[in-house]
């Protein structure tokens, strides 16, 4: 018998599948005859009372009382009760797949079922369906997490989001809002005469921004290509082709950091508009945000990172130089040299000398001004040093016809009047190009094919590029980008449970070695104490991670979650222990939370080491790292 509980539970359900098939019942039929969703019935009981309906969904609860049984079916719209009577439910029938009352024990919470019967109320007044027939649509092999506890560990939520949204349907809200936002963005642009195009994700030359690319290889062509960091240069090609208003809602890939507001893969809506300049796009962006607020969310006032933001009011517009002047009292436009500009930075406490006056201005803005931009603000007039694709301003060619959007201290888009002078653009690209740093993401690479496009000519053109995940965070009140990305990128792991179930040991050794292992603390302790998980090296290092989430739960409770990385226990593989959680009505103190976390880890692992890791050197890193 397996010592891993999930395997035993899975084996029980497999035996139920055998029993179903012996009765002629297909546990995985291909058809469903659903006529109603739960919300329609619950929202209009009077209109459905006594009528026959067919509902379908996942079985979320199940209890039996002799000749009566109760369960709840959950579909996309909500959850509705099944009220089963032995005398009302038809007997098991292999022809139509009906399960009779005496065979209901072959069902488990987590299965997908279809029920046909009349709409009624129980004695307690709960709106229910009284089934005449009950069909199994899908037999689940693994149990759902406990419905009261849910998925408490942050990593478990991100890795198994489908379970989190099943147990807690309210957690679907940000993703549903994201989908409606996409529709609203398309409707907004379509109404203004824009055409949507698909532009290449695989590009022979990345460009349109400064970011480190992902490199891949196309076997059929025998050459390396890049995942798009931007789609801008292709939209400009469409302008050259005679399309005046174009856009794409595309995927972007930047091989850089992961934090609360950055993710290596994300979405943007990028537009290009011919015969307009950057000022046109300020109006376009402001109108787009207002349109999304009103049509998707039905309001204009939102709480964003603790600030009340009203998208119904006009947005502030200020040049970067004036914004820095207003906060610091220093006018970088009057700096006569880079030395003087760096002296200004030093006076502001910024000990990072810059290579030009423009870069010094940008650094001062980043450090001193960005966090103060709470209400929606357009910052325009960036230094040309950091704006290689933008046109210089006629009034002062040291500054660009470019603007960025800031909301609640967060940058939410970058836009400009496009440089369509091919000679000037090529000269700027060449001056910044450093072959040794070709893929460092610090400058725009040379793209001679695009320069050729410009030599054929494009009219005055401008574009926008707000990140959709950032917009979703703003409108849904989420403060972590992975709360609006259903499938955030994560390091792959291999659990011992899956290794046992799927016979991973039969795979080639390299595949087995390179997979990290993910366990809960209970699973880890069980495997160690039963002698199944033993040290494969003589030295074990424990490294703890802890994060306090800055947004309280729906109950107003602040949460902290942690995991532990263990190196040395498994040869050439990292073991991760997940599942440490703290929940308090007041925000926990990080130092105190870290201290208790370390004490917890030391207590658990010192006990295990004494009894099961004899001969191994155990090192616990007392620095709690941020997830």
């Amino acid at each position: 018998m397996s010592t891993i509980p999930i395997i035993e539970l899975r084996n029980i359900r497999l035996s139920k599948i055998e029993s179903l098939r012996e009765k002629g019942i297909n546990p995985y039929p291909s058809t469903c005859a659903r006529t109603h969703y739960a919300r329609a019935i619950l929202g209009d009981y009077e209109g459905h009372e006594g009528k026959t309906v067919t509902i379908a969904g996942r079985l979320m609860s199940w209890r039996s009382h002799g000749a009566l049984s109760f369960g709840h079916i959950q579909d996309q719209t909500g959850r509705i009760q099944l009220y089963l009577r032995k005398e009302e439910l038809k007997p098991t029938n292999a022809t139509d797949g009906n399960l009779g009352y005496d065979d209901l024990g072959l069902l488990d919470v987590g299965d997908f079922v279809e029920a046909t019967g009349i709409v009624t109320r129980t004695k307690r007044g709960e709106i229910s369906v009284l089934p005449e027939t009950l069909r199994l649509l899908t037999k689940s092999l693994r149990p759902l997490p406990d419905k009261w506890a849910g998925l408490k560990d942050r990593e478990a939520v991100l890795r198994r989001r489908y379970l989190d949204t099943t147990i807690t349907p309210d957690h679907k809200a940000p993703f549903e809002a994201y989908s409606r936002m996409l529709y609203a963005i398309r409707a907004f642009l379509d109404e203004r005469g824009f055409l949507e195009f698909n532009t290449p994700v695989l590009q022979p030359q990345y460009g349109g921004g400064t970011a480190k690319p992902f490199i891949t290889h196309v076997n059929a062509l025998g050459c390396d290509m890049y995942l798009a960091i931007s789609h801008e240069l292709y939209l400009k090609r469409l302008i050259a082709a005679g399309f005046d208003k174009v856009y794409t809602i595309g995927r972007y890939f930047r091989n850089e950091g992961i934090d609360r507001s950055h993710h290596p893969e994300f979405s943007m809506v990028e537009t290009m508009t011919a015969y307009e300049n950057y000022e046109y796009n300020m109006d376009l962006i402001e109108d787009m945000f207002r349109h999304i607020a009103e049509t998707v969310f039905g309001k204009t006032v939102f709480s964003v990172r603790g600030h009340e933001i009203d998208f119904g009011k006009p947005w502030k517009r200020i040049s970067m130089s004036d914004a820095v002047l207003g906060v610091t009292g220093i006018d970088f436009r009057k700096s006569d040299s880079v030395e003087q500009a760096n002296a200004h930075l030093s006076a502001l406490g910024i000990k990072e000398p810059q290579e030009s006056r423009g870069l010094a201005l940008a650094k001062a803005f980043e450090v001193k001004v960005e966090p103060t931009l709470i209400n929606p603000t357009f910052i325009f007039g960036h230094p040309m040093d950091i704006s290689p694709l933008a046109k210089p301003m006629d009034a002062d060619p040291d500054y660009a016809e470019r603007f960025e959007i800031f909301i609640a201290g967060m940058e939410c888009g970058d836009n400009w009047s496009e440089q369509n002078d091919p000679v000037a653009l090529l000269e700027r690209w060449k001056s910044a190009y450093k072959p040794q740093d070709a893929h460092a993401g610090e400058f725009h690479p040379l793209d001679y094919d695009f320069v050729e496009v410009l030599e054929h000519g494009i009219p005055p053109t401008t574009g926008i590029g707000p990140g959709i995940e950032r917009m979703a965070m703003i409108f849904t009140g989420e403060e972590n980008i992975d709360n609006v990305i259903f499938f955030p990128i994560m390091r792959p792991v291999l659990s011992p449970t899956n290794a046992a179930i799927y016979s991973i040991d039969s795979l080639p050794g390299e595949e087995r070695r390179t997979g990290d292992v993910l366990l809960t603390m209970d699973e880890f302790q069980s495997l160690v104490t039963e002698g199944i998980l033993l040290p494969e090296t003589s030295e074990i290092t424990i490294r703890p991670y802890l994060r306090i989430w800055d947004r309280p739960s729906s109950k107003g409770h602040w949460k902290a979650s942690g995991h532990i990385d263990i190196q040395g226990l498994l040869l050439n593989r990292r073991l991760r222990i997940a599942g440490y959680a703290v929940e308090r009505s007041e925000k926990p103190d990080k130092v105190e939370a870290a201290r208790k976390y370390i004490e917890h880890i030391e207590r658990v692992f010192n006990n295990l080491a004494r009894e099961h890791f004899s001969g191994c050197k155990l090192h616990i890193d007392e620095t709690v790292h941020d997830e």
Side-chain angles (χ1 to χ4, degrees):
M1 179 175 286
S2 170
T3 58
I4 303 178
I6 188 66
I7 296 179
E8 292 306 312
L9 292 171
R10 183 176 181 272
N11 287 338
I12 292 172
R13 296 195 179 196
L14 285 171
S15 69
K16 289 184 178 183
I17 287 178
E18 292 179 10
S19 298
L20 287 163
R21 287 185 167 135
E22 288 173 1
K23 295 176 181 293
I25 303 295
N26 179 4
Y28 301 100
S30 62
T31 60
C32 174
R34 176 164 58 189
T35 61
H36 289 74
Y37 282 90
R39 183 184 298 164
I41 300 171
L42 298 173
D44 182 19
Y45 174 70
E46 291 75 15
H48 292 88
E49 183 181 11
K51 293 183 178 179
T52 299
V53 299
T54 299
I55 59 174
R58 192 188 286 271
L59 193 62
M60 298 301 296
S61 69
W62 189 251
R63 65 190 190 278
S64 182
H65 303 283
L68 292 178
S69 292
F70 299 88
H72 283 89
I73 281 183
Q74 180 172 292
D75 62 26
Q76 181 176 320
T77 67
R79 188 178 294 191
I80 190 168
Q81 180 171 261
L82 294 181
Y83 170 38
L84 297 107
R85 293 177 180 166
K86 186 172 184 177
E87 67 272 16
E88 298 285 346
L89 193 63
K90 291 182 178 180
T92 298
N93 187 319
T95 302
D96 58 19
N98 183 63
L99 272 179
Y101 197 88
D102 292 337
D103 289 321
L104 293 183
L106 297 175
L107 294 179
D108 290 289
V109 171
D111 292 349
F112 286 87
V113 298
E114 171 196 286
T116 300
I118 63 169
V119 177
T120 185
R121 283 188 188 270
T122 62
K123 291 181 180 180
R124 294 186 176 183
E126 184 169 354
I127 298 172
S128 307
V129 173
L130 179 64
E132 179 180 315
T133 62
L134 184 67
R135 295 176 60 232
L136 176 65
L137 298 178
T138 299
K139 183 67 186 170
S140 64
L141 294 184
R142 303 197 187 200
L144 293 174
D146 180 77
K147 67 179 180 179
W148 303 115
L151 292 176
K152 294 297 186 185
D153 177 63
R154 178 73 178 171
E155 181 161 330
V157 169
L158 299 183
R159 290 187 182 278
R160 299 180 179 89
R161 183 91 70 182
Y162 57 92
L163 292 179
D164 180 54
T165 54
T166 296
I167 298 299
T168 314
D170 289 349
H171 290 182
K172 294 192 294 185
F175 309 108
E176 292 171 343
Y178 187 101
S179 180
R180 293 195 299 272
M181 283 175 53
L182 292 177
Y183 178 84
I185 291 169
R186 287 188 166 97
F188 173 85
L189 293 172
D190 293 347
E191 288 172 3
R192 285 157 179 76
F194 284 82
L195 296 175
E196 182 177 8
F197 284 84
N198 288 327
T199 47
V201 169
L202 286 177
Q203 301 178 356
Q205 178 60 70
Y206 68 97
T210 53
K212 188 174 182 180
F214 286 91
I215 305 174
T216 187
H217 187 79
V218 179
N219 291 335
L221 300 178
C223 65
D224 286 344
M225 287 199 177
Y226 306 90
L227 298 185
I229 67 167
S230 171
H231 295 265
E232 176 180 326
L233 301 185
Y234 287 91
L235 291 171
K236 291 178 186 176
R237 287 170 167 87
L238 290 167
I239 295 294
F243 299 98
D244 285 354
K245 290 185 173 183
V246 296
Y247 76 96
T248 187
I249 295 180
R251 302 298 285 171
Y252 296 73
F253 306 87
R254 298 181 178 181
N255 197 1
E256 298 172 339
I258 300 176
D259 58 32
R260 291 163 56 112
S261 58
H262 294 87
H263 193 262
E265 179 183 1
F266 61 98
S267 296
M268 282 202 300
V269 52
E270 268 194 287
T271 72
M272 282 295 158
T273 306
Y275 306 101
E276 299 286 359
N277 75 349
Y278 76 112
E279 294 172 311
Y280 165 88
N281 279 329
M282 291 189 190
D283 295 332
L284 188 70
I285 283 282
E286 187 171 339
D287 290 345
M288 178 186 289
F289 270 78
R290 188 176 298 112
H291 174 81
I292 293 171
E294 293 173 347
T295 60
V296 177
F297 300 94
K299 59 182 181 178
T300 61
V301 179
F302 295 80
S303 177
V304 185
R305 304 178 82 179
H307 304 284
E308 185 176 282
I309 305 296
D310 188 352
F311 291 101
K313 294 181 179 179
W315 293 20
K316 184 178 181 180
R317 305 182 183 195
I318 183 172
S319 73
M320 182 178 286
S321 297
D322 285 339
V324 171
L325 175 62
V327 172
T328 68
I330 297 174
D331 191 345
F332 277 79
R333 288 167 296 198
K334 295 181 179 179
S335 299
D336 296 326
S337 64
V338 64
E339 289 77 17
Q340 186 179 6
N342 281 325
H344 288 321
L345 286 183
S346 182
L348 294 173
I350 303 173
K351 307 301 182 182
E352 302 174 47
Q354 302 297 307
E355 296 180 0
S356 69
R357 291 180 300 161
L359 290 173
L361 169 64
K363 175 58 71 172
F365 172 80
E366 176 189 346
V367 175
K368 296 296 183 180
V369 181
E370 267 192 40
T372 71
L373 300 176
I374 305 304
N375 290 314
T377 302
F378 293 116
I379 295 293
F380 64 88
H382 293 56
M384 286 300 298
D385 308 56
I386 58 172
S387 310
L389 292 178
K391 278 190 172 182
M393 288 183 162
D394 290 336
D396 190 341
D398 287 338
Y399 298 92
E401 290 192 357
R402 173 186 173 187
F403 70 87
E404 288 181 290
I405 310 157
F406 290 91
I407 301 170
M410 183 167 54
E411 188 266 312
C412 300
D414 193 4
N415 321 264
W416 51 75
S417 299
E418 306 297 336
Q419 176 57 271
N420 60 345
D421 180 341
V423 175
L425 182 63
L426 182 59
E427 182 180 343
R428 194 171 303 153
W429 273 351
K430 284 184 174 181
S431 65
Y433 185 68
K434 301 173 184 176
Q436 67 274 20
D437 297 327
H439 304 314
E442 298 177 355
F443 56 87
H444 289 258
L446 298 170
D447 188 339
Y448 295 106
D449 179 76
F450 178 69
V451 174
E452 180 185 345
V453 172
L454 291 188
E455 290 193 352
H456 285 284
I458 65 171
T461 299
T462 186
I464 63 172
I468 298 176
E469 284 81 6
R470 294 276 182 92
M471 295 171 71
M473 290 170 65
I474 288 168
F475 287 119
T476 62
E478 297 291 347
E479 296 189 6
N480 295 280
I481 195 168
D482 53 24
N483 283 342
V484 297
I485 298 177
F486 200 92
F487 303 105
I489 189 169
M490 301 187 74
R491 181 192 295 269
V493 297
L494 172 66
S495 73
T497 299
N498 283 346
I501 289 175
Y502 304 130
S503 302
I504 303 299
D505 281 329
S506 65
L507 293 177
E510 185 62 26
E511 294 187 40
R512 174 67 170 158
R513 285 198 303 273
T514 56
D516 289 342
V517 176
L518 176 66
L519 292 172
T520 66
M521 181 59 80
D522 288 342
E523 288 174 329
F524 173 72
Q525 289 180 283
S526 175
L527 292 172
V528 170
T529 56
E530 293 177 20
I532 297 171
L533 188 59
L534 298 173
E536 296 179 1
T537 69
S538 60
E539 187 168 339
I540 300 172
T541 300
I542 312 295
R543 174 170 289 185
Y545 291 79
L546 183 71
R547 171 171 290 182
I548 294 175
W549 301 100
D550 292 337
R551 183 170 179 263
S553 67
S554 59
K555 297 179 181 179
H557 291 182
W558 295 87
K559 292 184 177 181
S561 64
H563 68 261
I564 305 160
D565 280 354
I566 305 177
Q567 292 180 323
L569 189 65
L570 299 177
L571 188 63
N572 297 326
R573 282 186 294 159
R574 184 183 63 169
L575 175 63
R576 171 166 289 187
I577 311 299
Y580 182 83
V582 176
E583 187 170 283
R584 297 183 181 179
S585 57
E586 74 281 356
K587 187 174 181 180
D589 175 74
K590 187 158 189 175
V591 174
E592 177 66 11
R595 183 184 65 79
K596 290 186 175 181
Y597 189 32
I598 286 291
E599 289 177 355
H600 169 72
I601 292 170
E602 289 178 338
R603 184 169 57 253
V604 170
F605 281 91
N606 284 331
N607 289 339
L608 288 173
R610 280 194 298 269
E611 298 181 21
H612 304 285
F613 298 160
S614 59
C616 287
K617 183 178 180 181
L618 180 67
H619 173 68
I620 300 177
D621 185 348
E622 295 190 0
T623 300
V624 177
H625 303 272
D626 191 350
E627 287 186 302

